[in-house]
Amino acid sequence: MKLQSIDFRSSHFWLDTLSKIWAWLFLLGMVAFFSVVGEGFLTPFNLQAILANMAILMIIAIGQTYVIISGGIDLSVGWVMGMAAVISATVMNRLPESSPLWLVVLTGLFAGLVAAWVAGLVNGILIARLNVPPFIATLGMFGIARGIGFLLSGGMPVPIYVRGLGFLGNGFLLYHHPTAGWSFLSPPPGLAQAELRNLTGYFPFVVLVMLVLLLIAHLILSRTKFGLHVYAIGGNKEAAMRAGIPVARRLVAIYMLSATFAAIAGIVYNVRFTNGAANAGEAMLLDTVAAVVIGGASLFGGAGTVIGTLIGALIISVLANGLVILRVNPFWQFIAVGIVIIIAVLIDQAREKFTQE
């Protein structure tokens, strides 16, 4: 078999290579910069804080990845998350005080998922069956979910009065104390309040949840027929229909999947902050799209990976954390993320142009 030679002088080669690795290089560059100029950036505490703060964003962005690869966009994810958070918080508070923590969390999760599934189903039917553009359909659900969330909560966060919920949301897999040693899932017993200051936690629970969801989503997208159909629909919807792919059903499933991840993010928010807020995901929309696009997904559809979205989410989270450490006005984050999005889109458009030539 004859091997195809690679022309290292070709602009096509370098543009293709740049489009694949620029996000990694940008992330490494930021980490190096903040490590030098930002005091305490590379400490275990700060690195774990970056991952924990990124967890909710990444969970929503996983669902957005599927949508964008399919050639659409979901503008409702942030408010669907908030609606699910409010509904789950309300349900949790209605359970008897003697209910075990695992039952409270699972019941709240189920309530939030049901609400999100309805939103995702409506989005999918409007887009797949009634041919409403994704931008318009999900923008409408944006307003509906926003209104429902504020109506149910009265415009205020809904506090959750469940013992142990905050510890679960902010806990770690491992704990270490200089004198008491290591412990699993909970701090070593018998520590006085003053001794807890020397306690160090490793592997936050919310990060483990994010990684499990990330692995499942990656395997579905890369190893299953459903994942192959997602790419096919985004690459060429008409060709996918002619190939026998049930495009309408797959689109409904994709938007319901996006709503599912939004609901899970809402529950994670509840568990971590012990309240459900309708506007919990308000600021997440831009960041979810940014994470997916920065991670290499094409806004034209047909390209992208969940791992790439992880890199995009890391870039956004590292940037936000680094600016805080440098005591820079946090509003600069919006400008910086916007610039990075423009760079990502320009690279994507240039790649598309050279591919078509």
Side-chain angles (χ1 to χ4, degrees), residues 43-286:
T43 61
F45 174 82
N46 188 62
L47 294 178
Q48 291 189 126
I50 292 174
L51 294 175
N53 292 333
M54 184 191 75
I56 294 177
L57 166 63
M58 183 60 204
I59 292 172
I60 306 180
I62 290 173
Q64 189 77 271
T65 303
Y66 279 75
V67 173
I68 289 180
I69 291 175
S70 71
I73 192 169
D74 191 348
L75 300 180
S76 65
V77 285
W79 291 102
V80 169
M81 169 191 162
M83 178 183 68
V86 169
I87 291 174
S88 64
T90 303
V91 170
M92 286 179 183
N93 285 331
R94 297 290 178 87
L95 295 177
E97 293 184 6
S98 59
S99 301
L101 183 59
W102 65 267
L103 179 61
V104 174
V105 174
L106 288 181
T107 304
L109 174 61
F110 180 73
L113 283 173
V114 170
W117 286 336
V118 173
L121 179 62
V122 172
N123 280 338
I125 291 175
L126 289 173
I127 294 165
R129 300 294 184 181
L130 302 179
N131 295 320
V132 178
F135 184 92
I136 301 300
T138 58
L139 182 61
M141 185 53 65
F142 173 115
I144 293 171
R146 181 182 188 182
I148 292 175
F150 279 129
L151 283 172
L152 293 177
S153 65
M156 299 294 292
V158 179
I160 306 174
Y161 304 104
V162 176
R163 180 175 298 178
L165 192 68
F167 171 77
L168 178 64
N170 297 281
F172 297 84
L173 185 66
L174 294 172
Y175 291 88
H176 180 260
H177 189 271
T179 57
W182 292 88
S183 63
F184 186 64
L185 296 179
S186 61
L191 292 179
Q193 190 68 28
E195 293 178 305
L196 292 176
R197 298 176 182 177
N198 297 322
L199 187 67
T200 304
Y202 296 94
F203 308 112
F205 288 145
V206 293
V207 176
L208 293 177
V209 171
M210 177 196 73
L211 291 176
V212 170
L213 294 173
L214 174 72
L215 177 61
I216 294 172
H218 170 69
L219 292 176
I220 292 174
L221 192 59
S222 61
R223 302 292 179 86
T224 68
K225 183 182 293 185
F226 177 80
L228 180 63
H229 290 176
V230 173
Y231 284 105
I233 293 170
N236 191 318
K237 184 176 178 181
E238 297 298 326
M241 293 177 65
R242 289 196 295 269
I245 295 175
V247 172
R249 280 188 296 168
R250 291 293 183 261
L251 284 174
V252 172
I254 288 168
Y255 282 91
M256 289 190 68
L257 189 64
S258 177
T260 298
F261 281 105
I264 295 173
I267 306 304
V268 172
Y269 180 93
N270 288 359
V271 174
R272 192 173 185 207
F273 300 104
T274 63
N275 72 76
N279 62 347
E282 180 180 8
M284 297 287 180
L285 173 59
L286 172 63

Side-chain angles (χ1 to χ4, degrees), residues 296-312:
S298 172
L299 288 174
F300 300 101
T305 63
V306 176
I307 302 301
T309 299
L310 174 64
I311 301 303

Side-chain angles (χ1 to χ4, degrees), residues 21-39 41-42 46-47 50 54 294 310-326 332-333 335-337 339-340 343:
I21 68 170
W22 80 270
W24 293 87
L25 295 176
F26 190 79
L27 176 61
L28 291 174
M30 281 201 308
V31 170
F33 174 77
F34 288 129
S35 299
V36 173
V37 303
E39 183 178 355
F41 178 81
L42 277 183
N46 188 62
L47 294 178
I50 292 174
M54 184 191 75
I294 293 170
L310 174 64
I311 301 303
L314 277 170
I315 287 175
I316 294 172
S317 300
V318 168
L319 182 61
N321 180 271
L323 292 178
V324 170
I325 288 179
L326 296 181
W332 279 101
Q333 177 191 346
I335 298 174
V337 171
I339 292 173
V340 176
I343 293 173

